[in-house]
Amino acid sequence: MKTPLHERSLVLVKPDGVQRALVGDIISRFEKKGLKIVGMKMVWADAKLAEEHYDMPKEDKQALGERTIAAYEEKGKKIDKTPVEVAEDVQRRLIKYITTGPVVAMVIEGAHSIAHIRKIRGHTNPLAADVGTITADLTIDSYFISDPDERAIRNLVHASGSPEEAKREIDLWFKKDELHDYDLAIEKVLYSKDWEATRKDLVEGK
Ligand code: ADP
Ligand code: MG
């Protein structure tokens, strides 16, 4: 794998982040890191966009359902549904959450941006998140509170989990002419002009 100098990620400040006036705080964490915002807008997603955003292949649904059932069983709760049915329940909760109000959608670019952004966002479950991350610092939600209400855990930020996910999500949320090409000062400091040309053979981990 080539070093992904211009890797892109879709980041959403979810409706709870907008409601709680945390947009500035959240964006500034990514900016200060040295990542580049190449697209940004406020969107109130309709059901169609939300469904497409949380759409997943059948095998991912199966895996999500199995994970969720295992987590419930660990807490001593028996589930009488198939994994796919459980995953579809989870998807319905996610769609409801993401459409409750406007989100701030961004495409953020930089070397290893997906990994950096996931670290800054923190663990999905705020109770398990490391201090310094968004989910640890800015919310006290937990599965303990959200499960009985049958709602998605409110964790302020969505961030793409892989390059494939990022590509699919960016194409869904942004048109080509909404993404902008410009230079950030940090790029001049870190990368020489021919950085990519001279390091095409770079393999991660080598
Ligand atoms: P992540 O946001 O870390 O990529 P997932 O893609 O697995 O997490 O899930 C999408 C969103 O669904 C999470 O951000 C969270 O809001 C919610 N969520 C995930 N798992 C659960 C769960 N077991 N119970 C409630 N909400 C969940
Ligand atoms: Mg995810």
Side-chain angles (χ1 to χ4, degrees):
M1 191 175 136
K2 276 176 217 148
T3 299
L5 212 61
H6 299 287
E7 189 173 83
R8 287 180 169 183
S9 172
L10 179 86
V11 176
L12 305 174
V13 180
K14 294 182 182 180
D16 51 329
V18 175
Q19 278 297 316
R20 293 185 48 213
L22 291 171
V23 174
D25 185 320
I26 289 167
I27 293 176
S28 81
R29 290 170 186 239
F30 299 121
E31 275 194 306
K32 277 187 276 190
K33 177 74 175 170
L35 293 160
K36 177 161 68 175
I37 300 166
V38 297
M40 180 159 69
K41 60 184 175 182
M42 182 174 262
V43 183
W44 194 327
D46 58 14
K48 184 172 172 286
L49 175 59
E51 273 165 30
E52 285 183 61
H53 177 73
Y54 284 119
D55 193 23
M56 58 182 87
K58 186 118 192 285
E59 57 272 23
D60 289 4
K61 253 189 208 176
Q62 178 73 23
L64 170 64
E66 283 171 8
R67 270 204 317 275
T68 309
I69 290 171
Y72 274 124
E73 282 175 353
E74 215 168 273
K75 286 184 268 181
K77 202 171 157 192
K78 189 91 194 78
I79 306 286
D80 289 326
K81 288 183 178 175
T82 66
V84 170
E85 284 169 342
V86 170
E88 284 171 354
D89 285 346
V90 172
Q91 272 179 314
R92 266 190 290 279
R93 291 181 195 181
L94 295 179
I95 290 163
K96 194 169 170 202
Y97 170 29
I98 206 86
T99 56
T100 50
V103 305
V104 173
M106 288 170 280
V107 175
I108 300 185
E109 185 183 287
H112 307 282
S113 69
I114 292 171
H116 284 305
I117 290 167
R118 296 284 299 186
K119 279 186 194 202
I120 293 167
R121 200 289 298 261
H123 196 284
T124 311
N125 176 6
L127 203 50
D130 289 328
V131 171
T133 62
I134 291 168
T135 42
D137 291 356
L138 302 177
T139 177
I140 55 163
D141 202 8
S142 68
Y143 295 143
F144 178 79
I145 308 172
S146 66
D147 279 356
D149 277 352
E150 298 187 343
R151 61 169 177 79
I153 198 161
R154 294 197 177 114
N155 51 11
L156 301 162
V157 170
H158 164 84
S160 305
S162 66
E164 298 72 40
E165 207 175 282
K167 183 173 182 334
R168 192 181 73 76
E169 293 174 351
I170 291 167
D171 288 348
L172 185 63
W173 287 82
F174 283 86
K175 298 194 199 90
K176 275 215 159 50
D177 64 3
E178 291 175 319
L179 301 177
H180 304 285
D181 192 15
Y182 63 97
D183 294 328
L184 270 193
I186 192 166
E187 292 171 305
K188 295 197 184 1
V189 175
L190 295 181
Y191 320 137
S192 64
K193 230 181 168 180
D194 57 354
W195 203 100
E196 275 176 319
T198 56
R199 292 167 175 82
K200 276 220 157 42
D201 55 338
L202 254 191
V203 174
E204 228 175 305
K206 267 200 179 168

